[in-house]
Amino acid sequence: MSGFLLLFLIIALAYFTILHFVFWGLKKLPIKEETTFPAVSIVIAAHNEAQRIVPTLKSLEALEYPRDKYEVIFVDDASSDETAGIIESYCRRHARWRLLRITRDGDFASGKKKALKSGIAQAEGEIIFTTDADCVVPPRWLRYMTAYFEDDVHMVLGYSPLKRFKGWLNTVLQFDNLFSAIVAAAPTAWGFPLTSVGRNLAYRKKTYHALGGFDALKNRRSGDDVYLTERFRKKSTGRIVFCPHPETFVETLPPQGFRAFWHQQIRKNSKTLRKGWATSFFSLFAFLIYAYLWLFPLFAPHYFLIWLGVIVLKLLLEFLILTVAARMFRRTFLIVYLPLFQLIYPLYITFFTVLGSLQLYQWKKDE
């Protein structure tokens, strides 16, 4: 047996082991519904969201949770449009809704972190929930997310699907979002969360303060979700879990137009190699394994049939996992496209990760 073949078989075994853990990680995620209704503070930062925030406000009005057990704190992050006025009109209808206004003075690289910090400082609840000002939360969001806060749980990660529209760009984004959900859910099930989304995130306020809050992330250009989760994982003694309950999925709007899509993908993937060494090493290791699996025939063409058998098995196992995830996250319309994405997505993610590592993007307009 040649060295190339031995290395190929070892790498194939390592890759199949990863797939094994991903599959069973998804399968072991529990559905919980029993809650003790802890006190909750929902904190939402808003910057120039006048054109998008009304659906968010209406969805918050429809929450099914004891009214004396939750509050909603909006932080207007120096908006120059009618965002604050729209929020105020809704706050007047609800005794436990509040609006805070802040200015930008350069304290933080990201205005959103400063806005969230200000809101959390005023929060009375023991658990902080965050979402974005262009999201729609389901009625039982709080009820079922809080069910995952067992005594030793300090953070709960949620899923945030994209609103579905027609067109190939939306289909690409839908698959990318599904893949991100797998990367968030499966490792978390095994006790090693790699990523999260601030559009659907909850954590204990006392743990947030004990870890230094967003002050500890001042040097990060962003950090209200991924880097905060990483800090909880490294510094907290409590567990981080993932909530797969379909009635907690917080829908958000996808970027509008190709230019917004382009910069959003680069921004998102710019974090891949800027996390802790363990997460970055895992991402790089997984990429190298994947690349060698596909490039093996260039090194040892006489083992083509062995390579073909491994690749076919790989594609079948990946398809199985993606199908399980598509059903779990209510994205079954993607199943027909999965074989195509299995071939092109590795190139797609590599391309945007390289651009992201070079910081070749623009930040959100007006952010």
PDB file of all heavy atoms in Angstrom, residues 100-132:
ATOM      1  N   LEU A 100     -34.524  53.188  24.723  1.00  0.00           N
ATOM      2  CA  LEU A 100     -33.338  53.935  25.124  1.00  0.00           C
ATOM      3  C   LEU A 100     -32.715  54.529  23.867  1.00  0.00           C
ATOM      4  O   LEU A 100     -32.790  53.932  22.793  1.00  0.00           O
ATOM      5  CB  LEU A 100     -32.322  53.020  25.809  1.00  0.00           C
ATOM      6  CG  LEU A 100     -32.805  52.188  27.004  1.00  0.00           C
ATOM      7  CD1 LEU A 100     -31.671  51.301  27.509  1.00  0.00           C
ATOM      8  CD2 LEU A 100     -33.331  53.081  28.111  1.00  0.00           C
ATOM      9  N   ARG A 101     -32.105  55.683  24.012  1.00  0.00           N
ATOM     10  CA  ARG A 101     -31.424  56.300  22.866  1.00  0.00           C
ATOM     11  C   ARG A 101     -29.960  56.525  23.226  1.00  0.00           C
ATOM     12  O   ARG A 101     -29.650  56.994  24.327  1.00  0.00           O
ATOM     13  CB  ARG A 101     -32.067  57.629  22.508  1.00  0.00           C
ATOM     14  CG  ARG A 101     -33.528  57.510  22.127  1.00  0.00           C
ATOM     15  CD  ARG A 101     -34.025  58.802  21.515  1.00  0.00           C
ATOM     16  NE  ARG A 101     -35.465  58.810  21.364  1.00  0.00           N
ATOM     17  CZ  ARG A 101     -36.102  59.539  20.468  1.00  0.00           C
ATOM     18  NH1 ARG A 101     -35.419  60.309  19.640  1.00  0.00           N
ATOM     19  NH2 ARG A 101     -37.409  59.516  20.398  1.00  0.00           N
ATOM     20  N   ILE A 102     -29.088  56.172  22.292  1.00  0.00           N
ATOM     21  CA  ILE A 102     -27.659  56.388  22.521  1.00  0.00           C
ATOM     22  C   ILE A 102     -27.070  57.129  21.329  1.00  0.00           C
ATOM     23  O   ILE A 102     -27.658  57.179  20.245  1.00  0.00           O
ATOM     24  CB  ILE A 102     -26.897  55.057  22.734  1.00  0.00           C
ATOM     25  CG1 ILE A 102     -26.960  54.186  21.461  1.00  0.00           C
ATOM     26  CG2 ILE A 102     -27.442  54.297  23.927  1.00  0.00           C
ATOM     27  CD1 ILE A 102     -26.062  52.969  21.539  1.00  0.00           C
ATOM     28  N   THR A 103     -25.917  57.713  21.549  1.00  0.00           N
ATOM     29  CA  THR A 103     -25.171  58.363  20.474  1.00  0.00           C
ATOM     30  C   THR A 103     -23.901  57.572  20.221  1.00  0.00           C
ATOM     31  O   THR A 103     -23.467  56.782  21.054  1.00  0.00           O
ATOM     32  CB  THR A 103     -24.810  59.807  20.851  1.00  0.00           C
ATOM     33  OG1 THR A 103     -24.038  59.790  22.059  1.00  0.00           O
ATOM     34  CG2 THR A 103     -26.077  60.626  21.072  1.00  0.00           C
ATOM     35  N   ARG A 104     -23.299  57.796  19.087  1.00  0.00           N
ATOM     36  CA  ARG A 104     -22.057  57.110  18.755  1.00  0.00           C
ATOM     37  C   ARG A 104     -20.877  58.008  19.085  1.00  0.00           C
ATOM     38  O   ARG A 104     -20.754  59.099  18.551  1.00  0.00           O
ATOM     39  CB  ARG A 104     -22.040  56.729  17.271  1.00  0.00           C
ATOM     40  CG  ARG A 104     -23.144  55.741  16.929  1.00  0.00           C
ATOM     41  CD  ARG A 104     -22.913  55.057  15.606  1.00  0.00           C
ATOM     42  NE  ARG A 104     -23.820  53.927  15.445  1.00  0.00           N
ATOM     43  CZ  ARG A 104     -23.746  53.045  14.454  1.00  0.00           C
ATOM     44  NH1 ARG A 104     -22.785  53.166  13.557  1.00  0.00           N
ATOM     45  NH2 ARG A 104     -24.599  52.049  14.380  1.00  0.00           N
ATOM     46  N   ASP A 105     -20.026  57.528  20.000  1.00  0.00           N
ATOM     47  CA  ASP A 105     -18.879  58.337  20.409  1.00  0.00           C
ATOM     48  C   ASP A 105     -17.560  57.610  20.257  1.00  0.00           C
ATOM     49  O   ASP A 105     -16.546  58.021  20.790  1.00  0.00           O
ATOM     50  CB  ASP A 105     -19.054  58.794  21.858  1.00  0.00           C
ATOM     51  CG  ASP A 105     -19.289  57.611  22.803  1.00  0.00           C
ATOM     52  OD1 ASP A 105     -19.054  56.457  22.392  1.00  0.00           O
ATOM     53  OD2 ASP A 105     -19.708  57.861  23.947  1.00  0.00           O
ATOM     54  N   GLY A 106     -17.581  56.466  19.535  1.00  0.00           N
ATOM     55  CA  GLY A 106     -16.331  55.769  19.254  1.00  0.00           C
ATOM     56  C   GLY A 106     -15.881  54.817  20.336  1.00  0.00           C
ATOM     57  O   GLY A 106     -14.773  54.287  20.291  1.00  0.00           O
ATOM     58  N   ASP A 107     -16.731  54.560  21.365  1.00  0.00           N
ATOM     59  CA  ASP A 107     -16.323  53.645  22.427  1.00  0.00           C
ATOM     60  C   ASP A 107     -16.123  52.228  21.920  1.00  0.00           C
ATOM     61  O   ASP A 107     -15.267  51.496  22.384  1.00  0.00           O
ATOM     62  CB  ASP A 107     -17.385  53.614  23.536  1.00  0.00           C
ATOM     63  CG  ASP A 107     -17.329  54.873  24.383  1.00  0.00           C
ATOM     64  OD1 ASP A 107     -16.327  55.599  24.267  1.00  0.00           O
ATOM     65  OD2 ASP A 107     -18.279  55.120  25.144  1.00  0.00           O
ATOM     66  N   PHE A 108     -16.942  51.826  20.954  1.00  0.00           N
ATOM     67  CA  PHE A 108     -16.876  50.465  20.447  1.00  0.00           C
ATOM     68  C   PHE A 108     -16.662  50.496  18.936  1.00  0.00           C
ATOM     69  O   PHE A 108     -17.126  51.384  18.238  1.00  0.00           O
ATOM     70  CB  PHE A 108     -18.185  49.710  20.734  1.00  0.00           C
ATOM     71  CG  PHE A 108     -18.329  49.293  22.166  1.00  0.00           C
ATOM     72  CD1 PHE A 108     -18.696  50.216  23.123  1.00  0.00           C
ATOM     73  CD2 PHE A 108     -18.094  47.988  22.557  1.00  0.00           C
ATOM     74  CE1 PHE A 108     -18.841  49.842  24.447  1.00  0.00           C
ATOM     75  CE2 PHE A 108     -18.237  47.618  23.867  1.00  0.00           C
ATOM     76  CZ  PHE A 108     -18.610  48.534  24.825  1.00  0.00           C
ATOM     77  N   ALA A 109     -15.954  49.467  18.442  1.00  0.00           N
ATOM     78  CA  ALA A 109     -15.774  49.336  16.990  1.00  0.00           C
ATOM     79  C   ALA A 109     -17.116  49.073  16.327  1.00  0.00           C
ATOM     80  O   ALA A 109     -17.339  49.471  15.192  1.00  0.00           O
ATOM     81  CB  ALA A 109     -14.798  48.205  16.677  1.00  0.00           C
ATOM     82  N   SER A 110     -18.019  48.394  17.023  1.00  0.00           N
ATOM     83  CA  SER A 110     -19.340  48.122  16.481  1.00  0.00           C
ATOM     84  C   SER A 110     -20.383  48.834  17.311  1.00  0.00           C
ATOM     85  O   SER A 110     -20.453  48.661  18.529  1.00  0.00           O
ATOM     86  CB  SER A 110     -19.617  46.607  16.492  1.00  0.00           C
ATOM     87  OG  SER A 110     -20.979  46.365  16.217  1.00  0.00           O
ATOM     88  N   GLY A 111     -21.215  49.657  16.687  1.00  0.00           N
ATOM     89  CA  GLY A 111     -22.265  50.351  17.408  1.00  0.00           C
ATOM     90  C   GLY A 111     -23.249  49.401  18.040  1.00  0.00           C
ATOM     91  O   GLY A 111     -23.837  49.703  19.084  1.00  0.00           O
ATOM     92  N   LYS A 112     -23.445  48.230  17.429  1.00  0.00           N
ATOM     93  CA  LYS A 112     -24.428  47.293  17.958  1.00  0.00           C
ATOM     94  C   LYS A 112     -24.030  46.788  19.335  1.00  0.00           C
ATOM     95  O   LYS A 112     -24.876  46.636  20.216  1.00  0.00           O
ATOM     96  CB  LYS A 112     -24.606  46.120  16.989  1.00  0.00           C
ATOM     97  CG  LYS A 112     -25.717  45.171  17.409  1.00  0.00           C
ATOM     98  CD  LYS A 112     -25.920  44.076  16.383  1.00  0.00           C
ATOM     99  CE  LYS A 112     -27.044  43.146  16.814  1.00  0.00           C
ATOM    100  NZ  LYS A 112     -27.246  42.035  15.850  1.00  0.00           N
ATOM    101  N   LYS A 113     -22.746  46.496  19.553  1.00  0.00           N
ATOM    102  CA  LYS A 113     -22.311  46.026  20.866  1.00  0.00           C
ATOM    103  C   LYS A 113     -22.585  47.089  21.938  1.00  0.00           C
ATOM    104  O   LYS A 113     -23.020  46.777  23.039  1.00  0.00           O
ATOM    105  CB  LYS A 113     -20.819  45.667  20.855  1.00  0.00           C
ATOM    106  CG  LYS A 113     -20.488  44.393  20.094  1.00  0.00           C
ATOM    107  CD  LYS A 113     -19.216  43.761  20.600  1.00  0.00           C
ATOM    108  CE  LYS A 113     -17.990  44.642  20.437  1.00  0.00           C
ATOM    109  NZ  LYS A 113     -17.593  44.841  19.049  1.00  0.00           N
ATOM    110  N   LYS A 114     -22.305  48.330  21.611  1.00  0.00           N
ATOM    111  CA  LYS A 114     -22.557  49.404  22.567  1.00  0.00           C
ATOM    112  C   LYS A 114     -24.051  49.515  22.863  1.00  0.00           C
ATOM    113  O   LYS A 114     -24.455  49.708  24.025  1.00  0.00           O
ATOM    114  CB  LYS A 114     -22.036  50.734  22.023  1.00  0.00           C
ATOM    115  CG  LYS A 114     -22.277  51.900  22.973  1.00  0.00           C
ATOM    116  CD  LYS A 114     -21.798  53.207  22.377  1.00  0.00           C
ATOM    117  CE  LYS A 114     -22.138  54.374  23.311  1.00  0.00           C
ATOM    118  NZ  LYS A 114     -21.735  55.671  22.746  1.00  0.00           N
ATOM    119  N   ALA A 115     -24.873  49.384  21.828  1.00  0.00           N
ATOM    120  CA  ALA A 115     -26.321  49.477  22.016  1.00  0.00           C
ATOM    121  C   ALA A 115     -26.827  48.338  22.904  1.00  0.00           C
ATOM    122  O   ALA A 115     -27.615  48.560  23.836  1.00  0.00           O
ATOM    123  CB  ALA A 115     -27.021  49.447  20.663  1.00  0.00           C
ATOM    124  N   LEU A 116     -26.371  47.126  22.625  1.00  0.00           N
ATOM    125  CA  LEU A 116     -26.797  45.987  23.441  1.00  0.00           C
ATOM    126  C   LEU A 116     -26.303  46.129  24.878  1.00  0.00           C
ATOM    127  O   LEU A 116     -27.019  45.807  25.831  1.00  0.00           O
ATOM    128  CB  LEU A 116     -26.292  44.684  22.824  1.00  0.00           C
ATOM    129  CG  LEU A 116     -26.926  44.275  21.495  1.00  0.00           C
ATOM    130  CD1 LEU A 116     -26.258  43.021  20.946  1.00  0.00           C
ATOM    131  CD2 LEU A 116     -28.423  44.039  21.664  1.00  0.00           C
ATOM    132  N   LYS A 117     -25.075  46.603  25.028  1.00  0.00           N
ATOM    133  CA  LYS A 117     -24.538  46.823  26.377  1.00  0.00           C
ATOM    134  C   LYS A 117     -25.412  47.787  27.155  1.00  0.00           C
ATOM    135  O   LYS A 117     -25.729  47.550  28.336  1.00  0.00           O
ATOM    136  CB  LYS A 117     -23.114  47.366  26.283  1.00  0.00           C
ATOM    137  CG  LYS A 117     -22.496  47.737  27.631  1.00  0.00           C
ATOM    138  CD  LYS A 117     -21.216  48.510  27.477  1.00  0.00           C
ATOM    139  CE  LYS A 117     -20.723  49.032  28.823  1.00  0.00           C
ATOM    140  NZ  LYS A 117     -19.513  49.881  28.694  1.00  0.00           N
ATOM    141  N   SER A 118     -25.850  48.858  26.524  1.00  0.00           N
ATOM    142  CA  SER A 118     -26.704  49.847  27.185  1.00  0.00           C
ATOM    143  C   SER A 118     -28.039  49.235  27.584  1.00  0.00           C
ATOM    144  O   SER A 118     -28.565  49.491  28.673  1.00  0.00           O
ATOM    145  CB  SER A 118     -26.927  51.044  26.264  1.00  0.00           C
ATOM    146  OG  SER A 118     -25.699  51.662  25.932  1.00  0.00           O
ATOM    147  N   GLY A 119     -28.612  48.421  26.694  1.00  0.00           N
ATOM    148  CA  GLY A 119     -29.888  47.782  26.996  1.00  0.00           C
ATOM    149  C   GLY A 119     -29.785  46.781  28.127  1.00  0.00           C
ATOM    150  O   GLY A 119     -30.638  46.733  29.027  1.00  0.00           O
ATOM    151  N   ILE A 120     -28.728  45.968  28.109  1.00  0.00           N
ATOM    152  CA  ILE A 120     -28.548  44.954  29.153  1.00  0.00           C
ATOM    153  C   ILE A 120     -28.322  45.612  30.507  1.00  0.00           C
ATOM    154  O   ILE A 120     -28.754  45.107  31.547  1.00  0.00           O
ATOM    155  CB  ILE A 120     -27.382  44.011  28.788  1.00  0.00           C
ATOM    156  CG1 ILE A 120     -27.747  43.199  27.534  1.00  0.00           C
ATOM    157  CG2 ILE A 120     -27.044  43.078  29.941  1.00  0.00           C
ATOM    158  CD1 ILE A 120     -26.602  42.375  26.972  1.00  0.00           C
ATOM    159  N   ALA A 121     -27.656  46.760  30.521  1.00  0.00           N
ATOM    160  CA  ALA A 121     -27.416  47.491  31.780  1.00  0.00           C
ATOM    161  C   ALA A 121     -28.727  47.900  32.447  1.00  0.00           C
ATOM    162  O   ALA A 121     -28.789  48.051  33.676  1.00  0.00           O
ATOM    163  CB  ALA A 121     -26.551  48.719  31.512  1.00  0.00           C
ATOM    164  N   GLN A 122     -29.785  48.070  31.647  1.00  0.00           N
ATOM    165  CA  GLN A 122     -31.091  48.478  32.181  1.00  0.00           C
ATOM    166  C   GLN A 122     -32.030  47.292  32.383  1.00  0.00           C
ATOM    167  O   GLN A 122     -33.140  47.460  32.891  1.00  0.00           O
ATOM    168  CB  GLN A 122     -31.748  49.469  31.215  1.00  0.00           C
ATOM    169  CG  GLN A 122     -30.972  50.752  30.999  1.00  0.00           C
ATOM    170  CD  GLN A 122     -30.905  51.606  32.237  1.00  0.00           C
ATOM    171  OE1 GLN A 122     -31.888  51.728  32.965  1.00  0.00           O
ATOM    172  NE2 GLN A 122     -29.747  52.192  32.512  1.00  0.00           N
ATOM    173  N   ALA A 123     -31.601  46.100  31.983  1.00  0.00           N
ATOM    174  CA  ALA A 123     -32.476  44.926  32.008  1.00  0.00           C
ATOM    175  C   ALA A 123     -32.727  44.434  33.426  1.00  0.00           C
ATOM    176  O   ALA A 123     -31.819  44.401  34.260  1.00  0.00           O
ATOM    177  CB  ALA A 123     -31.858  43.812  31.166  1.00  0.00           C
ATOM    178  N   GLU A 124     -33.950  44.015  33.681  1.00  0.00           N
ATOM    179  CA  GLU A 124     -34.330  43.480  34.986  1.00  0.00           C
ATOM    180  C   GLU A 124     -34.426  41.960  34.986  1.00  0.00           C
ATOM    181  O   GLU A 124     -34.395  41.338  36.049  1.00  0.00           O
ATOM    182  CB  GLU A 124     -35.675  44.073  35.414  1.00  0.00           C
ATOM    183  CG  GLU A 124     -35.649  45.592  35.569  1.00  0.00           C
ATOM    184  CD  GLU A 124     -37.013  46.172  35.893  1.00  0.00           C
ATOM    185  OE1 GLU A 124     -37.998  45.390  35.904  1.00  0.00           O
ATOM    186  OE2 GLU A 124     -37.105  47.388  36.130  1.00  0.00           O
ATOM    187  N   GLY A 125     -34.561  41.333  33.823  1.00  0.00           N
ATOM    188  CA  GLY A 125     -34.729  39.889  33.752  1.00  0.00           C
ATOM    189  C   GLY A 125     -33.453  39.127  34.052  1.00  0.00           C
ATOM    190  O   GLY A 125     -32.349  39.646  33.897  1.00  0.00           O
ATOM    191  N   GLU A 126     -33.608  37.870  34.458  1.00  0.00           N
ATOM    192  CA  GLU A 126     -32.436  37.034  34.726  1.00  0.00           C
ATOM    193  C   GLU A 126     -31.861  36.440  33.445  1.00  0.00           C
ATOM    194  O   GLU A 126     -30.702  36.023  33.415  1.00  0.00           O
ATOM    195  CB  GLU A 126     -32.788  35.909  35.706  1.00  0.00           C
ATOM    196  CG  GLU A 126     -33.811  34.904  35.182  1.00  0.00           C
ATOM    197  CD  GLU A 126     -34.073  33.781  36.170  1.00  0.00           C
ATOM    198  OE1 GLU A 126     -33.246  32.862  36.258  1.00  0.00           O
ATOM    199  OE2 GLU A 126     -35.114  33.828  36.856  1.00  0.00           O
ATOM    200  N   ILE A 127     -32.659  36.422  32.389  1.00  0.00           N
ATOM    201  CA  ILE A 127     -32.207  35.896  31.099  1.00  0.00           C
ATOM    202  C   ILE A 127     -32.365  36.977  30.038  1.00  0.00           C
ATOM    203  O   ILE A 127     -33.419  37.613  29.936  1.00  0.00           O
ATOM    204  CB  ILE A 127     -32.988  34.636  30.697  1.00  0.00           C
ATOM    205  CG1 ILE A 127     -32.705  33.508  31.691  1.00  0.00           C
ATOM    206  CG2 ILE A 127     -32.609  34.193  29.282  1.00  0.00           C
ATOM    207  CD1 ILE A 127     -33.500  32.254  31.449  1.00  0.00           C
ATOM    208  N   ILE A 128     -31.312  37.182  29.271  1.00  0.00           N
ATOM    209  CA  ILE A 128     -31.316  38.154  28.178  1.00  0.00           C
ATOM    210  C   ILE A 128     -31.606  37.431  26.867  1.00  0.00           C
ATOM    211  O   ILE A 128     -30.950  36.438  26.541  1.00  0.00           O
ATOM    212  CB  ILE A 128     -29.962  38.876  28.063  1.00  0.00           C
ATOM    213  CG1 ILE A 128     -29.592  39.565  29.379  1.00  0.00           C
ATOM    214  CG2 ILE A 128     -29.979  39.873  26.904  1.00  0.00           C
ATOM    215  CD1 ILE A 128     -30.544  40.645  29.802  1.00  0.00           C
ATOM    216  N   PHE A 129     -32.587  37.921  26.132  1.00  0.00           N
ATOM    217  CA  PHE A 129     -32.860  37.441  24.778  1.00  0.00           C
ATOM    218  C   PHE A 129     -32.474  38.550  23.803  1.00  0.00           C
ATOM    219  O   PHE A 129     -32.758  39.722  24.067  1.00  0.00           O
ATOM    220  CB  PHE A 129     -34.348  37.129  24.590  1.00  0.00           C
ATOM    221  CG  PHE A 129     -34.754  35.741  24.988  1.00  0.00           C
ATOM    222  CD1 PHE A 129     -34.771  35.365  26.319  1.00  0.00           C
ATOM    223  CD2 PHE A 129     -35.121  34.811  24.039  1.00  0.00           C
ATOM    224  CE1 PHE A 129     -35.150  34.095  26.699  1.00  0.00           C
ATOM    225  CE2 PHE A 129     -35.504  33.514  24.397  1.00  0.00           C
ATOM    226  CZ  PHE A 129     -35.515  33.166  25.739  1.00  0.00           C
ATOM    227  N   THR A 130     -31.845  38.180  22.701  1.00  0.00           N
ATOM    228  CA  THR A 130     -31.545  39.179  21.673  1.00  0.00           C
ATOM    229  C   THR A 130     -32.080  38.719  20.317  1.00  0.00           C
ATOM    230  O   THR A 130     -32.121  37.523  20.018  1.00  0.00           O
ATOM    231  CB  THR A 130     -30.035  39.443  21.538  1.00  0.00           C
ATOM    232  OG1 THR A 130     -29.364  38.244  21.087  1.00  0.00           O
ATOM    233  CG2 THR A 130     -29.440  39.895  22.855  1.00  0.00           C
ATOM    234  N   THR A 131     -32.502  39.690  19.546  1.00  0.00           N
ATOM    235  CA  THR A 131     -32.845  39.467  18.146  1.00  0.00           C
ATOM    236  C   THR A 131     -32.575  40.780  17.427  1.00  0.00           C
ATOM    237  O   THR A 131     -32.149  41.765  18.036  1.00  0.00           O
ATOM    238  CB  THR A 131     -34.292  39.000  17.983  1.00  0.00           C
ATOM    239  OG1 THR A 131     -34.521  38.594  16.622  1.00  0.00           O
ATOM    240  CG2 THR A 131     -35.286  40.101  18.338  1.00  0.00           C
ATOM    241  N   ASP A 132     -32.810  40.801  16.126  1.00  0.00           N
ATOM    242  CA  ASP A 132     -32.551  42.006  15.342  1.00  0.00           C
ATOM    243  C   ASP A 132     -33.848  42.730  15.019  1.00  0.00           C
ATOM    244  O   ASP A 132     -34.943  42.154  15.096  1.00  0.00           O
ATOM    245  CB  ASP A 132     -31.808  41.661  14.048  1.00  0.00           C
ATOM    246  CG  ASP A 132     -30.352  41.312  14.297  1.00  0.00           C
ATOM    247  OD1 ASP A 132     -29.868  41.545  15.432  1.00  0.00           O
ATOM    248  OD2 ASP A 132     -29.694  40.806  13.367  1.00  0.00           O
TER     249      ASP A 132
END
